[in-house]
Amino acid sequence: MTITISSAFDAGNIRVVSQDGDRVDLEIVKDHMSDFYQWFHFRLAGAAGRDLTLRILNCAGSAYPHGWPDYRACLSLDREEWVRVADTSYADGILTVKLTPPTDCVWLAYFAPFSMERHHDLITAIAALDGVGYSSLGKSLDGQDIDCLTIGDGDLNAWLYARQHPGETMAEWWMEGALEKLCDPEDPVARVLRRECTFRVIPNMNPDGSRRGHLRTNAVGVNLNREWHAPSAEKSPEVLCVRNAMDKVGVDFAMDVHGDEAIPANFLAGFEGIPSITERQTRLFKLFSDTLERLSPDFQTAQGYEIPAPGQANMSMSTTQLAERFGCVSMTLEMPFKDNINLPDPVYGWSPQRSKYLASACLDALHAILPELKAERKSASRAA
Ligand code: ZN
């Protein structure tokens, strides 16, 4: 029987190079009009009971070659539960995945996918709840809406947004967890957050890249998280419409949710190195980070990105641009594609469910620092 591999569906990505019996050689396809690639997602059919060797040949040239050592591919038999393939290895630029599919249709991906169809299910379900507002902030280049949900009616303007980089699907699993908690009528933390804050939640900043099976860019190969200083209708309407909406109402607190290919841990990146950084911003960022570390064993502060020197921040990124523009507390949350090495799970690795728990812990941390955020916001406005 012939093995069939396909990726012509929502968020699919793979190219078959050759097939020799039970060995299939594959390549990941570059983002359209870009050199970035790392996201893969395909269906493998007609191989039940066969001892397969799948080889992704072009990993050395991918966006993050350090993402492959100690990485294990994700496998699903039902498109709901995604487990790790234990026999995944990386050497000489080639990722080798060995498996014996128990059934004739199995699915493989870089991380548990979050399809645009699931995105629409999420938006539709949450928008129907009492007290939730929906707005489309604008259109992507492929004509998809930039969906925004408004929750709560407090004074503090909190923005949560994810998937500027579409292949980082854990970011939208995080969003699903955040929205479920924020909309829970009985959750005491959510009740206080809804009273004190107005949340604007954008679960997917890059629907085009998501549907196209991209790693990092939109329909014209633009990395949206390098556009925040000068977004344009031609190249980055997704950022332009969100930044305009932020300019209208302001930002007190912002989280930009991502995944990191290489580092096996959850961590935050801040806004060190922006021109007008204040002691208040630095202190509140650290307070949030320390609080989250106490609340969640899946979060840590030892590993992360190198901190830029004073004045050396990259102002094209959302976190730095918002911190400078609004004097707010903004941050980039990074979750692993691999696992949290401090609390590993051999079956699932880092997973949708764990991303959702981390979202819940982030909201708990925000709740814990509300008094400081509020008090100092008042004194800041009095000073102005
Ligand atoms: Zn990212």
Side-chain angles (χ1 to χ4, degrees), residues 31-34 36 64 164-166 168 206 214-229 235-236 238-239 258 314 316-317:
D31 290 7
H32 182 60
M33 297 173 73
S34 159
F36 290 123
Y64 300 95
Q164 293 200 73
H165 298 145
E168 297 161 11
N206 194 341
H214 284 189
L215 175 73
R216 206 162 161 77
T217 67
N218 71 359
V220 293
V222 169
N223 178 352
L224 296 182
N225 204 25
R226 297 295 183 276
E227 291 286 299
W228 286 73
H229 61 308
K235 283 173 58 195
S236 47
E238 301 92 343
V239 174
H258 287 252
N314 179 345
S316 68
M317 298 167 77

Side-chain angles (χ1 to χ4, degrees), residues 22-191:
D22 290 334
R23 195 179 86 184
V24 186
D25 285 351
L26 305 161
E27 280 181 353
I28 302 172
V29 180
K30 289 178 179 178
D31 290 7
H32 182 60
M33 297 173 73
S34 159
D35 285 329
F36 290 123
Y37 63 89
Q38 192 124 358
W39 170 259
F40 62 89
H41 176 201
F42 56 91
R43 193 183 76 160
L44 173 64
R50 290 172 66 170
D51 297 330
L52 299 183
T53 300
L54 309 177
R55 305 196 312 166
I56 299 178
L57 302 180
N58 62 342
C59 290
S62 68
Y64 300 95
H66 293 303
W68 303 113
D70 305 317
Y71 164 78
R72 288 171 297 140
C74 299
L75 168 75
S76 180
L77 309 184
D78 60 5
R79 309 214 302 150
E80 285 293 327
E81 182 183 31
W82 291 82
V83 299
R84 299 294 176 140
V85 180
D87 198 347
T88 304
S89 59
Y90 180 71
D92 303 324
I94 297 174
L95 187 81
T96 302
V97 182
K98 293 186 177 177
L99 75 163
T100 307
T103 55
D104 255 336
C105 280
V106 303
W107 298 74
L108 285 118
Y110 188 32
F111 194 84
F114 199 107
S115 68
M116 283 309 296
E117 291 302 314
R118 190 178 183 104
H119 167 84
H120 290 306
D121 289 345
L122 176 66
I123 295 292
T124 304
I126 300 293
L129 299 175
D130 279 346
V132 177
Y134 168 86
S135 54
S136 169
L137 300 181
K139 296 276 189 193
S140 70
L141 291 168
D142 284 344
Q144 299 192 76
D145 289 296
I146 306 303
D147 294 324
C148 179
L149 298 162
T150 305
I151 299 160
D153 48 17
D155 291 340
L156 286 169
N157 288 303
W159 290 79
L160 309 175
Y161 54 103
R163 284 190 93 180
Q164 293 200 73
H165 298 145
E168 297 161 11
T169 54
M170 59 288 282
E172 198 160 1
W173 290 108
W174 185 100
M175 278 292 176
E176 192 172 286
L179 287 166
E180 284 171 3
K181 183 180 177 84
L182 271 181
C183 294
D184 186 333
E186 287 158 322
D187 185 301
V189 166
R191 291 181 64 202

Side-chain angles (χ1 to χ4, degrees), residues 251-294:
V251 181
D252 294 296
F253 178 89
M255 281 189 88
D256 179 20
V257 188
H258 287 252
D260 185 272
E261 290 78 359
I263 297 177
N266 290 289
F267 59 96
L268 287 172
F271 41 80
E272 301 87 353
I274 64 169
S276 318
I277 195 161
T278 64
E279 183 275 336
R280 170 185 177 271
Q281 283 174 299
T282 305
R283 183 161 37 81
L284 287 174
F285 173 78
K286 186 172 186 315
L287 181 63
F288 180 88
S289 179
D290 290 348
T291 305
L292 183 56
E293 189 170 31
R294 276 192 286 115

